[in-house]
Amino acid sequence: MERLIARIDDILKGDKKMDFAVFSKSEIEEMFQTIMGHMPDEMRQMAIEESGGVEQWRKHYIEALSSEKMQKGYAKVVEWYGGKDEYLSVVKNPVSKEVAESYNKRIEAIEAFYERSGEH
């Protein structure tokens, strides 16, 4: 607690800047490589074509995820997952195609149930 108070005092004095970044540039780069590696071929090819190449896609991804707005959003996502390491574990070890399809079917069934029952 004393360290937190000291850190806040330093920030208020202007000695240190607050950094709200959740992920570092190297972590974002690693996330890009992981996502690109796990993405279905058709989606990866479409992203590459729309971006003008892999390098342009990588630069756009890193720039977008490094923005303050995205970092604030990721802070909430990390909180939902129970921590940064837990979230990165999910990114690095995505569910299989079969599991994802199973989840999608469940979601569709739930949505259909609520549509039939008139609840939202």
Side-chain angles (χ1 to χ4, degrees), residues 22-23 28 31 35 61 64-65 68-80 87 91:
V22 176
F23 296 111
I28 293 171
M31 288 167 57
I35 288 169
Y61 182 91
L65 266 63
E68 182 179 350
K69 182 179 180 180
M70 287 296 288
Q71 288 290 317
K72 286 180 179 180
Y74 269 111
K76 189 52 121 176
V77 170
V78 164
E79 182 182 322
W80 292 335
Y87 174 74
V91 170

Side-chain angles (χ1 to χ4, degrees), residues 25-62:
K25 294 267 188 194
S26 62
E27 289 170 325
I28 293 171
E29 173 73 37
E30 185 178 349
M31 288 167 57
F32 172 77
Q33 294 298 331
T34 301
I35 288 169
M36 190 173 90
H38 291 287
M39 187 178 277
D41 292 339
E42 299 97 29
M43 287 180 67
R44 182 176 32 263
Q45 191 58 40
M46 188 169 61
I48 291 169
E49 288 172 7
E50 288 180 6
S51 301
V54 174
E55 185 58 25
Q56 290 84 348
W57 178 27
R58 185 187 72 76
K59 284 180 181 179
H60 171 73
Y61 182 91
I62 291 171

